[in-house]
Amino acid sequence: MGYVRYTDLRGFVNELGEAGELQPVRAQVDWNLEVGALTRLICERRQPAPLFENIKDYPSYRMAGVLLGPGRPLHARLAMALGVDKETLPLELIEIVRQRLRAPKEPVKVERNEAPCKEVILQGDDANLLSLPCPWIKEIDGGRYVGTWDIVVIKDPETGWVNWGTYRCMVKDEQSFAVLLIPAEQHGGGILRKYQAMGKPMPIALVIGADPLSHLGAIAPLDHGMSEVAAAGGLRGEGVRLVRCETSDLEVPADAEIVIEAEIVPGEVTEEGPFGEYTGHRAHHGLSPLARVKCITHRQNPIFTMANMGKPWDDWAVPASILVSAVAKNRLEDHGIRIKACYGHAPVTTLVVSVNPRPGLTKKILSILMSGERLFLAGTGIVFVDEDVDVTNLEDVWWAITTRMHPDRFEVLRDLPANPLIPYLTPEDRQRHVTSQWVMEATFPADWDATYREAHTVVADFAHAWSEKVQRQVLDRWTEYGYGEIEDDSMTR
Ligand SMILES: Cc1cc2nc3c(=O)[nH]c(=O)nc-3n(C[C@H](O)[C@H](O)[C@H](O)COP(=O)(O)O)c2cc1C
Ligand SMILES: [Mn+2]
């Protein structure tokens, strides 16, 4: 069977509760700013995910916040979502995700009467977004958001390829919302363009509160044409149960809490944002496509889910640090390149890659990661370090940058697609949709000979500056010297 015991969000929430990773909040909270401020503080203090049981104006709803956000250790709740020990280290999680993504599982279709997400079906005027406790998250945001921890389901009108992506969706009024479809690399924007060229409305389903691995599938940076649905099945070890929408032929996770069926009419755009984003800054994009709601279905007493993006860590950085790293390492492996490790630190997509340098290797890695339609570096840049550097440890990485990177080995790559959410873009960058990225080669050059290395590069730490004999002697006598257990003080855990 699958890797996890839960089948849906509720089952996962129960498991979090049993493990002390969930805080039921019985005090009344306001969807207007209070839930947002509290969940951000919870992220910053790395506290258990909250389950709000008493939301002002919304007595029949519950809300789960920052479910896969930062915990203690950082990836504790993500590890639990994957069905593994919550202490599992990030590099091990990357290996687990890598293997599971290599074994996708097709979804299983079910009928409406087997689908909890159809317990309540609201159409016409009853399909009202304001009947859901959509939070106004940050005071610096432009409005209420219905979609933050969501799955946006759309279908390519030519090939029938179904795409899942997590995109932010802002409430415009009772029956319309704006979707942030970033044009550059994300799949949603590309598919919408096809509908618009055909002059056809695009059906869209906004899924809220699916099981956590379906959400991970939607966040995973898969290539064009690959199925996030099957990837989610791979992550679960069991195909996701899908049911057909009421008003389109899109299919959605049958066990989800809430499904909003809508349509994007060609040419209809609306002001979206601004929104406090994963870069730790507010991001304003401007005009976005407008989706018109046709139907809302949900479970009885549904649990609304929300993310809280912000200065690291957040619900993007925690899962993406594992997913982006896993997909990048798999892609390199597909091209015959084995790296020791790679890791995307918050706010992510800036990868640290550890390699055993040989001439031409980093150029090859760059061309693989930056080829195709998806840039892994769509953010800031990439750091190469030697294999002795722990890519998950920023102190280690900074040590390598400041001692092993000759300033001449800092390179700037120009005219790459710009992610409009990145704060440092110049007004010209934003207009041209292009920007630059950096490459740091924080490794000693492969062509230095042994004598030169011996003279200038031997590491002065416990593991390298003494023979094994002396190390063993000191380790064996550690407690005899009067010292106790050592606490883990790593920044990334
Ligand atoms: C909470 C959250 C919110 C996100 N919001 C957006 C968004 O508004 N627009 C976007 O393009 N990507 C957003 N992302 C990132 C995408 O989900 C991610 O890049 C995914 O791979 C996109 O799917 P796609 O490759 O099929 O387009 C968000 C991710 C998370 C976790
Ligand atoms: Mn995709």
Side-chain angles (χ1 to χ4, degrees), residues 148-149 161 163-169 180-182 185-188 218-222 228 277 307 309 315-316 319 374 421:
T148 51
W149 193 249
W161 166 53
N163 193 69
W164 281 9
T166 298
Y167 308 130
R168 74 187 200 200
C169 297
L180 179 65
L181 296 175
I182 297 172
E185 308 175 301
Q186 307 292 69
H187 292 151
I219 298 167
L222 304 184
E228 284 96 1
E277 267 295 353
M309 313 299 257
D315 316 64
W316 154 255
R374 185 176 306 273
L421 301 184

PDB file of all heavy atoms in Angstrom, residues 148-149 161 163-169 180-182 185-188 218-222 228 277 307 309 315-316 319 374 421, ligand 1:
ATOM      1  N   THR A 148      -4.467  30.312  -1.171  1.00  0.00           N
ATOM      2  CA  THR A 148      -3.040  30.413  -0.832  1.00  0.00           C
ATOM      3  C   THR A 148      -2.506  28.978  -0.738  1.00  0.00           C
ATOM      4  O   THR A 148      -1.692  28.577  -1.536  1.00  0.00           O
ATOM      5  CB  THR A 148      -2.800  31.189   0.483  1.00  0.00           C
ATOM      6  OG1 THR A 148      -3.610  30.650   1.521  1.00  0.00           O
ATOM      7  CG2 THR A 148      -3.099  32.669   0.299  1.00  0.00           C
ATOM      8  N   TRP A 149      -3.066  28.198   0.174  1.00  0.00           N
ATOM      9  CA  TRP A 149      -2.715  26.763   0.210  1.00  0.00           C
ATOM     10  C   TRP A 149      -3.741  26.027  -0.651  1.00  0.00           C
ATOM     11  O   TRP A 149      -4.708  25.465  -0.159  1.00  0.00           O
ATOM     12  CB  TRP A 149      -2.695  26.233   1.651  1.00  0.00           C
ATOM     13  CG  TRP A 149      -2.049  24.897   1.760  1.00  0.00           C
ATOM     14  CD1 TRP A 149      -2.655  23.708   2.061  1.00  0.00           C
ATOM     15  CD2 TRP A 149      -0.660  24.580   1.551  1.00  0.00           C
ATOM     16  NE1 TRP A 149      -1.738  22.686   2.054  1.00  0.00           N
ATOM     17  CE2 TRP A 149      -0.509  23.190   1.743  1.00  0.00           C
ATOM     18  CE3 TRP A 149       0.466  25.333   1.211  1.00  0.00           C
ATOM     19  CZ2 TRP A 149       0.726  22.536   1.609  1.00  0.00           C
ATOM     20  CZ3 TRP A 149       1.698  24.688   1.085  1.00  0.00           C
ATOM     21  CH2 TRP A 149       1.817  23.307   1.282  1.00  0.00           C
ATOM     22  N   TRP A 161      -3.419  17.666 -21.554  1.00  0.00           N
ATOM     23  CA  TRP A 161      -2.540  17.569 -20.375  1.00  0.00           C
ATOM     24  C   TRP A 161      -3.137  18.385 -19.228  1.00  0.00           C
ATOM     25  O   TRP A 161      -3.519  19.534 -19.401  1.00  0.00           O
ATOM     26  CB  TRP A 161      -1.154  18.093 -20.755  1.00  0.00           C
ATOM     27  CG  TRP A 161      -0.236  18.362 -19.593  1.00  0.00           C
ATOM     28  CD1 TRP A 161       0.106  17.503 -18.585  1.00  0.00           C
ATOM     29  CD2 TRP A 161       0.482  19.579 -19.342  1.00  0.00           C
ATOM     30  NE1 TRP A 161       0.983  18.109 -17.729  1.00  0.00           N
ATOM     31  CE2 TRP A 161       1.232  19.378 -18.156  1.00  0.00           C
ATOM     32  CE3 TRP A 161       0.571  20.807 -19.994  1.00  0.00           C
ATOM     33  CZ2 TRP A 161       2.054  20.364 -17.617  1.00  0.00           C
ATOM     34  CZ3 TRP A 161       1.390  21.795 -19.460  1.00  0.00           C
ATOM     35  CH2 TRP A 161       2.117  21.567 -18.292  1.00  0.00           C
ATOM     36  N   ASN A 163      -2.759  20.225 -15.671  1.00  0.00           N
ATOM     37  CA  ASN A 163      -1.731  20.832 -14.811  1.00  0.00           C
ATOM     38  C   ASN A 163      -2.295  21.187 -13.451  1.00  0.00           C
ATOM     39  O   ASN A 163      -3.387  21.732 -13.339  1.00  0.00           O
ATOM     40  CB  ASN A 163      -1.175  22.099 -15.461  1.00  0.00           C
ATOM     41  CG  ASN A 163       0.091  22.554 -14.766  1.00  0.00           C
ATOM     42  OD1 ASN A 163       1.119  21.887 -14.856  1.00  0.00           O
ATOM     43  ND2 ASN A 163       0.012  23.653 -14.046  1.00  0.00           N
ATOM     44  N   TRP A 164      -1.488  20.850 -12.419  1.00  0.00           N
ATOM     45  CA  TRP A 164      -1.776  21.318 -11.069  1.00  0.00           C
ATOM     46  C   TRP A 164      -0.692  22.306 -10.672  1.00  0.00           C
ATOM     47  O   TRP A 164       0.503  22.033 -10.861  1.00  0.00           O
ATOM     48  CB  TRP A 164      -1.729  20.163 -10.057  1.00  0.00           C
ATOM     49  CG  TRP A 164      -2.929  19.285 -10.016  1.00  0.00           C
ATOM     50  CD1 TRP A 164      -3.984  19.279 -10.866  1.00  0.00           C
ATOM     51  CD2 TRP A 164      -3.170  18.248  -9.041  1.00  0.00           C
ATOM     52  NE1 TRP A 164      -4.879  18.302 -10.492  1.00  0.00           N
ATOM     53  CE2 TRP A 164      -4.398  17.655  -9.378  1.00  0.00           C
ATOM     54  CE3 TRP A 164      -2.478  17.764  -7.940  1.00  0.00           C
ATOM     55  CZ2 TRP A 164      -4.951  16.607  -8.642  1.00  0.00           C
ATOM     56  CZ3 TRP A 164      -3.006  16.718  -7.204  1.00  0.00           C
ATOM     57  CH2 TRP A 164      -4.235  16.152  -7.553  1.00  0.00           C
ATOM     58  N   GLY A 165      -1.087  23.443 -10.141  1.00  0.00           N
ATOM     59  CA  GLY A 165      -0.108  24.390  -9.614  1.00  0.00           C
ATOM     60  C   GLY A 165      -0.711  25.106  -8.422  1.00  0.00           C
ATOM     61  O   GLY A 165      -1.936  25.252  -8.340  1.00  0.00           O
ATOM     62  N   THR A 166       0.133  25.521  -7.508  1.00  0.00           N
ATOM     63  CA  THR A 166      -0.343  26.335  -6.390  1.00  0.00           C
ATOM     64  C   THR A 166      -0.141  27.790  -6.770  1.00  0.00           C
ATOM     65  O   THR A 166       1.000  28.221  -6.946  1.00  0.00           O
ATOM     66  CB  THR A 166       0.435  25.983  -5.102  1.00  0.00           C
ATOM     67  OG1 THR A 166       0.175  24.621  -4.798  1.00  0.00           O
ATOM     68  CG2 THR A 166       0.002  26.862  -3.935  1.00  0.00           C
ATOM     69  N   TYR A 167      -1.220  28.504  -6.990  1.00  0.00           N
ATOM     70  CA  TYR A 167      -1.147  29.914  -7.386  1.00  0.00           C
ATOM     71  C   TYR A 167      -2.035  30.722  -6.443  1.00  0.00           C
ATOM     72  O   TYR A 167      -3.108  30.268  -6.065  1.00  0.00           O
ATOM     73  CB  TYR A 167      -1.650  30.116  -8.827  1.00  0.00           C
ATOM     74  CG  TYR A 167      -1.018  29.229  -9.876  1.00  0.00           C
ATOM     75  CD1 TYR A 167      -1.809  28.516 -10.763  1.00  0.00           C
ATOM     76  CD2 TYR A 167       0.364  29.120  -9.996  1.00  0.00           C
ATOM     77  CE1 TYR A 167      -1.249  27.714 -11.751  1.00  0.00           C
ATOM     78  CE2 TYR A 167       0.940  28.310 -10.973  1.00  0.00           C
ATOM     79  CZ  TYR A 167       0.129  27.613 -11.848  1.00  0.00           C
ATOM     80  OH  TYR A 167       0.682  26.814 -12.818  1.00  0.00           O
ATOM     81  N   ARG A 168      -1.580  31.941  -6.135  1.00  0.00           N
ATOM     82  CA  ARG A 168      -2.372  32.749  -5.212  1.00  0.00           C
ATOM     83  C   ARG A 168      -3.622  33.295  -5.922  1.00  0.00           C
ATOM     84  O   ARG A 168      -3.565  33.664  -7.101  1.00  0.00           O
ATOM     85  CB  ARG A 168      -1.520  33.882  -4.615  1.00  0.00           C
ATOM     86  CG  ARG A 168      -1.214  35.009  -5.558  1.00  0.00           C
ATOM     87  CD  ARG A 168      -0.215  35.997  -4.934  1.00  0.00           C
ATOM     88  NE  ARG A 168      -0.291  37.290  -5.615  1.00  0.00           N
ATOM     89  CZ  ARG A 168       0.666  38.218  -5.579  1.00  0.00           C
ATOM     90  NH1 ARG A 168       1.777  38.009  -4.900  1.00  0.00           N
ATOM     91  NH2 ARG A 168       0.506  39.363  -6.215  1.00  0.00           N
ATOM     92  N   CYS A 169      -4.742  33.310  -5.206  1.00  0.00           N
ATOM     93  CA  CYS A 169      -6.022  33.732  -5.790  1.00  0.00           C
ATOM     94  C   CYS A 169      -6.684  34.736  -4.857  1.00  0.00           C
ATOM     95  O   CYS A 169      -7.001  34.421  -3.710  1.00  0.00           O
ATOM     96  CB  CYS A 169      -6.959  32.542  -5.981  1.00  0.00           C
ATOM     97  SG  CYS A 169      -6.331  31.321  -7.145  1.00  0.00           S
ATOM     98  N   LEU A 180      -3.013  34.634  -9.903  1.00  0.00           N
ATOM     99  CA  LEU A 180      -1.695  35.117 -10.311  1.00  0.00           C
ATOM    100  C   LEU A 180      -1.026  34.058 -11.181  1.00  0.00           C
ATOM    101  O   LEU A 180      -0.455  33.089 -10.684  1.00  0.00           O
ATOM    102  CB  LEU A 180      -0.815  35.426  -9.097  1.00  0.00           C
ATOM    103  CG  LEU A 180       0.581  35.911  -9.480  1.00  0.00           C
ATOM    104  CD1 LEU A 180       0.523  37.245 -10.211  1.00  0.00           C
ATOM    105  CD2 LEU A 180       1.485  36.015  -8.285  1.00  0.00           C
ATOM    106  N   LEU A 181      -1.138  34.223 -12.493  1.00  0.00           N
ATOM    107  CA  LEU A 181      -0.501  33.305 -13.428  1.00  0.00           C
ATOM    108  C   LEU A 181       0.736  34.007 -13.983  1.00  0.00           C
ATOM    109  O   LEU A 181       0.635  34.794 -14.918  1.00  0.00           O
ATOM    110  CB  LEU A 181      -1.462  32.930 -14.558  1.00  0.00           C
ATOM    111  CG  LEU A 181      -2.716  32.152 -14.112  1.00  0.00           C
ATOM    112  CD1 LEU A 181      -3.656  31.945 -15.284  1.00  0.00           C
ATOM    113  CD2 LEU A 181      -2.340  30.804 -13.506  1.00  0.00           C
ATOM    114  N   ILE A 182       1.887  33.731 -13.370  1.00  0.00           N
ATOM    115  CA  ILE A 182       3.115  34.389 -13.798  1.00  0.00           C
ATOM    116  C   ILE A 182       3.458  33.927 -15.209  1.00  0.00           C
ATOM    117  O   ILE A 182       3.511  32.728 -15.476  1.00  0.00           O
ATOM    118  CB  ILE A 182       4.261  34.049 -12.830  1.00  0.00           C
ATOM    119  CG1 ILE A 182       3.930  34.598 -11.450  1.00  0.00           C
ATOM    120  CG2 ILE A 182       5.584  34.607 -13.330  1.00  0.00           C
ATOM    121  CD1 ILE A 182       4.889  34.158 -10.379  1.00  0.00           C
ATOM    122  N   GLU A 185       7.518  31.286 -16.566  1.00  0.00           N
ATOM    123  CA  GLU A 185       7.857  29.866 -16.592  1.00  0.00           C
ATOM    124  C   GLU A 185       6.779  28.964 -16.061  1.00  0.00           C
ATOM    125  O   GLU A 185       6.842  27.755 -16.212  1.00  0.00           O
ATOM    126  CB  GLU A 185       9.056  29.628 -15.697  1.00  0.00           C
ATOM    127  CG  GLU A 185      10.196  30.513 -15.977  1.00  0.00           C
ATOM    128  CD  GLU A 185      11.242  30.251 -14.953  1.00  0.00           C
ATOM    129  OE1 GLU A 185      10.943  30.422 -13.763  1.00  0.00           O
ATOM    130  OE2 GLU A 185      12.319  29.848 -15.344  1.00  0.00           O
ATOM    131  N   GLN A 186       5.822  29.526 -15.380  1.00  0.00           N
ATOM    132  CA  GLN A 186       4.826  28.689 -14.739  1.00  0.00           C
ATOM    133  C   GLN A 186       3.871  28.166 -15.806  1.00  0.00           C
ATOM    134  O   GLN A 186       3.636  28.797 -16.823  1.00  0.00           O
ATOM    135  CB  GLN A 186       4.084  29.485 -13.668  1.00  0.00           C
ATOM    136  CG  GLN A 186       4.998  30.166 -12.669  1.00  0.00           C
ATOM    137  CD  GLN A 186       5.722  29.187 -11.772  1.00  0.00           C
ATOM    138  OE1 GLN A 186       6.586  28.449 -12.248  1.00  0.00           O
ATOM    139  NE2 GLN A 186       5.381  29.154 -10.523  1.00  0.00           N
ATOM    140  N   HIS A 187       3.293  26.983 -15.563  1.00  0.00           N
ATOM    141  CA  HIS A 187       2.507  26.342 -16.612  1.00  0.00           C
ATOM    142  C   HIS A 187       1.129  26.961 -16.803  1.00  0.00           C
ATOM    143  O   HIS A 187       0.571  26.922 -17.891  1.00  0.00           O
ATOM    144  CB  HIS A 187       2.391  24.851 -16.330  1.00  0.00           C
ATOM    145  CG  HIS A 187       3.718  24.167 -16.465  1.00  0.00           C
ATOM    146  ND1 HIS A 187       4.063  23.049 -15.754  1.00  0.00           N
ATOM    147  CD2 HIS A 187       4.794  24.483 -17.218  1.00  0.00           C
ATOM    148  CE1 HIS A 187       5.298  22.690 -16.084  1.00  0.00           C
ATOM    149  NE2 HIS A 187       5.759  23.544 -16.962  1.00  0.00           N
ATOM    150  N   GLY A 188       0.573  27.498 -15.706  1.00  0.00           N
ATOM    151  CA  GLY A 188      -0.775  28.050 -15.800  1.00  0.00           C
ATOM    152  C   GLY A 188      -0.885  29.128 -16.865  1.00  0.00           C
ATOM    153  O   GLY A 188      -1.814  29.131 -17.677  1.00  0.00           O
ATOM    154  N   ALA A 218       1.402  19.676  -6.474  1.00  0.00           N
ATOM    155  CA  ALA A 218       1.100  20.943  -7.158  1.00  0.00           C
ATOM    156  C   ALA A 218       2.255  21.936  -7.042  1.00  0.00           C
ATOM    157  O   ALA A 218       2.411  22.803  -7.893  1.00  0.00           O
ATOM    158  CB  ALA A 218      -0.176  21.557  -6.592  1.00  0.00           C
ATOM    159  N   ILE A 219       3.060  21.807  -5.992  1.00  0.00           N
ATOM    160  CA  ILE A 219       4.170  22.737  -5.790  1.00  0.00           C
ATOM    161  C   ILE A 219       5.430  22.273  -6.527  1.00  0.00           C
ATOM    162  O   ILE A 219       6.297  23.078  -6.865  1.00  0.00           O
ATOM    163  CB  ILE A 219       4.446  22.891  -4.267  1.00  0.00           C
ATOM    164  CG1 ILE A 219       3.220  23.491  -3.560  1.00  0.00           C
ATOM    165  CG2 ILE A 219       5.666  23.756  -4.008  1.00  0.00           C
ATOM    166  CD1 ILE A 219       3.285  23.389  -2.047  1.00  0.00           C
ATOM    167  N   ALA A 220       5.519  20.966  -6.797  1.00  0.00           N
ATOM    168  CA  ALA A 220       6.744  20.408  -7.396  1.00  0.00           C
ATOM    169  C   ALA A 220       7.018  21.036  -8.764  1.00  0.00           C
ATOM    170  O   ALA A 220       6.107  21.160  -9.581  1.00  0.00           O
ATOM    171  CB  ALA A 220       6.602  18.893  -7.535  1.00  0.00           C
ATOM    172  N   PRO A 221       8.271  21.441  -9.022  1.00  0.00           N
ATOM    173  CA  PRO A 221       8.604  22.104 -10.292  1.00  0.00           C
ATOM    174  C   PRO A 221       8.816  21.090 -11.421  1.00  0.00           C
ATOM    175  O   PRO A 221       9.921  20.904 -11.900  1.00  0.00           O
ATOM    176  CB  PRO A 221       9.899  22.845  -9.955  1.00  0.00           C
ATOM    177  CG  PRO A 221      10.548  22.012  -8.900  1.00  0.00           C
ATOM    178  CD  PRO A 221       9.438  21.344  -8.127  1.00  0.00           C
ATOM    179  N   LEU A 222       7.733  20.458 -11.848  1.00  0.00           N
ATOM    180  CA  LEU A 222       7.857  19.425 -12.889  1.00  0.00           C
ATOM    181  C   LEU A 222       7.903  20.064 -14.268  1.00  0.00           C
ATOM    182  O   LEU A 222       7.390  21.155 -14.473  1.00  0.00           O
ATOM    183  CB  LEU A 222       6.668  18.465 -12.805  1.00  0.00           C
ATOM    184  CG  LEU A 222       6.444  17.782 -11.456  1.00  0.00           C
ATOM    185  CD1 LEU A 222       5.296  16.790 -11.550  1.00  0.00           C
ATOM    186  CD2 LEU A 222       7.709  17.084 -10.971  1.00  0.00           C
ATOM    187  N   GLU A 228       1.416  16.411 -12.425  1.00  0.00           N
ATOM    188  CA  GLU A 228       1.521  16.612 -10.978  1.00  0.00           C
ATOM    189  C   GLU A 228       0.581  15.658 -10.250  1.00  0.00           C
ATOM    190  O   GLU A 228       0.820  15.316  -9.083  1.00  0.00           O
ATOM    191  CB  GLU A 228       1.172  18.056 -10.608  1.00  0.00           C
ATOM    192  CG  GLU A 228       2.263  19.076 -10.922  1.00  0.00           C
ATOM    193  CD  GLU A 228       2.076  19.785 -12.252  1.00  0.00           C
ATOM    194  OE1 GLU A 228       1.077  19.497 -12.936  1.00  0.00           O
ATOM    195  OE2 GLU A 228       2.927  20.624 -12.596  1.00  0.00           O
ATOM    196  N   GLU A 277       4.918  38.339   0.103  1.00  0.00           N
ATOM    197  CA  GLU A 277       5.307  37.115  -0.597  1.00  0.00           C
ATOM    198  C   GLU A 277       6.454  36.330   0.046  1.00  0.00           C
ATOM    199  O   GLU A 277       7.049  36.758   1.027  1.00  0.00           O
ATOM    200  CB  GLU A 277       5.676  37.453  -2.050  1.00  0.00           C
ATOM    201  CG  GLU A 277       4.499  37.298  -3.009  1.00  0.00           C
ATOM    202  CD  GLU A 277       4.018  35.853  -3.123  1.00  0.00           C
ATOM    203  OE1 GLU A 277       4.655  34.936  -2.570  1.00  0.00           O
ATOM    204  OE2 GLU A 277       2.969  35.634  -3.773  1.00  0.00           O
ATOM    205  N   ALA A 307      -2.009  29.495   3.604  1.00  0.00           N
ATOM    206  CA  ALA A 307      -0.561  29.601   3.797  1.00  0.00           C
ATOM    207  C   ALA A 307      -0.258  31.021   4.253  1.00  0.00           C
ATOM    208  O   ALA A 307      -1.106  31.907   4.142  1.00  0.00           O
ATOM    209  CB  ALA A 307       0.160  29.311   2.487  1.00  0.00           C
ATOM    210  N   MET A 309       2.845  33.397   3.474  1.00  0.00           N
ATOM    211  CA  MET A 309       4.157  33.638   2.896  1.00  0.00           C
ATOM    212  C   MET A 309       4.833  34.792   3.626  1.00  0.00           C
ATOM    213  O   MET A 309       4.163  35.720   4.088  1.00  0.00           O
ATOM    214  CB  MET A 309       3.999  34.005   1.424  1.00  0.00           C
ATOM    215  CG  MET A 309       3.077  33.080   0.666  1.00  0.00           C
ATOM    216  SD  MET A 309       3.655  31.412   0.666  1.00  0.00           S
ATOM    217  CE  MET A 309       4.307  31.378  -0.988  1.00  0.00           C
ATOM    218  N   ASP A 315       5.451  28.546   4.085  1.00  0.00           N
ATOM    219  CA  ASP A 315       4.844  27.345   3.486  1.00  0.00           C
ATOM    220  C   ASP A 315       5.340  27.055   2.082  1.00  0.00           C
ATOM    221  O   ASP A 315       5.022  26.014   1.512  1.00  0.00           O
ATOM    222  CB  ASP A 315       3.326  27.476   3.338  1.00  0.00           C
ATOM    223  CG  ASP A 315       2.641  28.051   4.516  1.00  0.00           C
ATOM    224  OD1 ASP A 315       2.890  29.216   4.844  1.00  0.00           O
ATOM    225  OD2 ASP A 315       1.835  27.322   5.096  1.00  0.00           O
ATOM    226  N   TRP A 316       6.022  28.012   1.470  1.00  0.00           N
ATOM    227  CA  TRP A 316       6.649  27.737   0.176  1.00  0.00           C
ATOM    228  C   TRP A 316       8.044  27.179   0.414  1.00  0.00           C
ATOM    229  O   TRP A 316       8.420  26.133  -0.098  1.00  0.00           O
ATOM    230  CB  TRP A 316       6.711  29.005  -0.679  1.00  0.00           C
ATOM    231  CG  TRP A 316       7.809  29.010  -1.694  1.00  0.00           C
ATOM    232  CD1 TRP A 316       8.976  29.710  -1.619  1.00  0.00           C
ATOM    233  CD2 TRP A 316       7.865  28.268  -2.928  1.00  0.00           C
ATOM    234  NE1 TRP A 316       9.747  29.454  -2.724  1.00  0.00           N
ATOM    235  CE2 TRP A 316       9.098  28.576  -3.535  1.00  0.00           C
ATOM    236  CE3 TRP A 316       7.000  27.370  -3.554  1.00  0.00           C
ATOM    237  CZ2 TRP A 316       9.496  28.022  -4.762  1.00  0.00           C
ATOM    238  CZ3 TRP A 316       7.393  26.828  -4.772  1.00  0.00           C
ATOM    239  CH2 TRP A 316       8.620  27.148  -5.361  1.00  0.00           C
ATOM    240  N   PRO A 319       8.447  23.237   1.923  1.00  0.00           N
ATOM    241  CA  PRO A 319       8.313  22.165   0.931  1.00  0.00           C
ATOM    242  C   PRO A 319       9.218  22.339  -0.288  1.00  0.00           C
ATOM    243  O   PRO A 319       9.784  21.362  -0.788  1.00  0.00           O
ATOM    244  CB  PRO A 319       6.842  22.215   0.520  1.00  0.00           C
ATOM    245  CG  PRO A 319       6.249  23.432   1.108  1.00  0.00           C
ATOM    246  CD  PRO A 319       7.168  23.944   2.161  1.00  0.00           C
ATOM    247  N   ARG A 374      12.080  25.461 -17.904  1.00  0.00           N
ATOM    248  CA  ARG A 374      12.048  25.842 -16.499  1.00  0.00           C
ATOM    249  C   ARG A 374      13.437  26.109 -15.940  1.00  0.00           C
ATOM    250  O   ARG A 374      14.286  25.264 -15.906  1.00  0.00           O
ATOM    251  CB  ARG A 374      11.389  24.772 -15.662  1.00  0.00           C
ATOM    252  CG  ARG A 374      11.265  25.246 -14.229  1.00  0.00           C
ATOM    253  CD  ARG A 374      10.539  24.301 -13.346  1.00  0.00           C
ATOM    254  NE  ARG A 374       9.232  23.918 -13.821  1.00  0.00           N
ATOM    255  CZ  ARG A 374       8.127  24.606 -13.579  1.00  0.00           C
ATOM    256  NH1 ARG A 374       8.180  25.734 -12.945  1.00  0.00           N
ATOM    257  NH2 ARG A 374       6.983  24.141 -13.989  1.00  0.00           N
ATOM    258  N   LEU A 421       8.053  38.473  -9.067  1.00  0.00           N
ATOM    259  CA  LEU A 421       7.898  38.590  -7.616  1.00  0.00           C
ATOM    260  C   LEU A 421       9.214  38.954  -6.916  1.00  0.00           C
ATOM    261  O   LEU A 421       9.231  39.242  -5.723  1.00  0.00           O
ATOM    262  CB  LEU A 421       7.354  37.283  -7.027  1.00  0.00           C
ATOM    263  CG  LEU A 421       5.998  36.816  -7.569  1.00  0.00           C
ATOM    264  CD1 LEU A 421       5.532  35.570  -6.836  1.00  0.00           C
ATOM    265  CD2 LEU A 421       4.945  37.909  -7.449  1.00  0.00           C
TER     266      LEU A 421
HETATM  267  C1  LIG B   1       1.690  28.827  -0.922  1.00  0.00           C
HETATM  268  C2  LIG B   1       2.216  28.945  -2.339  1.00  0.00           C
HETATM  269  C3  LIG B   1       1.788  29.973  -3.163  1.00  0.00           C
HETATM  270  C4  LIG B   1       2.259  30.090  -4.474  1.00  0.00           C
HETATM  271  N1  LIG B   1       1.773  31.082  -5.272  1.00  0.00           N
HETATM  272  C5  LIG B   1       2.155  31.132  -6.580  1.00  0.00           C
HETATM  273  C6  LIG B   1       1.580  32.083  -7.461  1.00  0.00           C
HETATM  274  O1  LIG B   1       0.724  32.892  -7.070  1.00  0.00           O
HETATM  275  N2  LIG B   1       1.963  32.095  -8.765  1.00  0.00           N
HETATM  276  C7  LIG B   1       2.896  31.200  -9.228  1.00  0.00           C
HETATM  277  O2  LIG B   1       3.202  31.207 -10.415  1.00  0.00           O
HETATM  278  N3  LIG B   1       3.481  30.288  -8.412  1.00  0.00           N
HETATM  279  C8  LIG B   1       3.121  30.227  -7.103  1.00  0.00           C
HETATM  280  N4  LIG B   1       3.665  29.291  -6.274  1.00  0.00           N
HETATM  281  C9  LIG B   1       4.720  28.396  -6.799  1.00  0.00           C
HETATM  282  C10 LIG B   1       4.156  27.317  -7.696  1.00  0.00           C
HETATM  283  O3  LIG B   1       3.138  26.602  -7.056  1.00  0.00           O
HETATM  284  C11 LIG B   1       5.221  26.317  -8.121  1.00  0.00           C
HETATM  285  O4  LIG B   1       6.236  27.018  -8.804  1.00  0.00           O
HETATM  286  C12 LIG B   1       4.677  25.202  -9.001  1.00  0.00           C
HETATM  287  O5  LIG B   1       5.732  24.420  -9.484  1.00  0.00           O
HETATM  288  C13 LIG B   1       3.911  25.774 -10.172  1.00  0.00           C
HETATM  289  O6  LIG B   1       3.314  24.741 -10.939  1.00  0.00           O
HETATM  290  P1  LIG B   1       3.510  24.706 -12.499  1.00  0.00           P
HETATM  291  O7  LIG B   1       4.944  24.391 -12.701  1.00  0.00           O
HETATM  292  O8  LIG B   1       2.647  23.611 -12.989  1.00  0.00           O
HETATM  293  O9  LIG B   1       3.152  26.044 -13.036  1.00  0.00           O
HETATM  294  C14 LIG B   1       3.203  29.157  -4.958  1.00  0.00           C
HETATM  295  C15 LIG B   1       3.629  28.133  -4.129  1.00  0.00           C
HETATM  296  C16 LIG B   1       3.143  28.012  -2.823  1.00  0.00           C
HETATM  297  C17 LIG B   1       3.608  26.883  -1.964  1.00  0.00           C
END
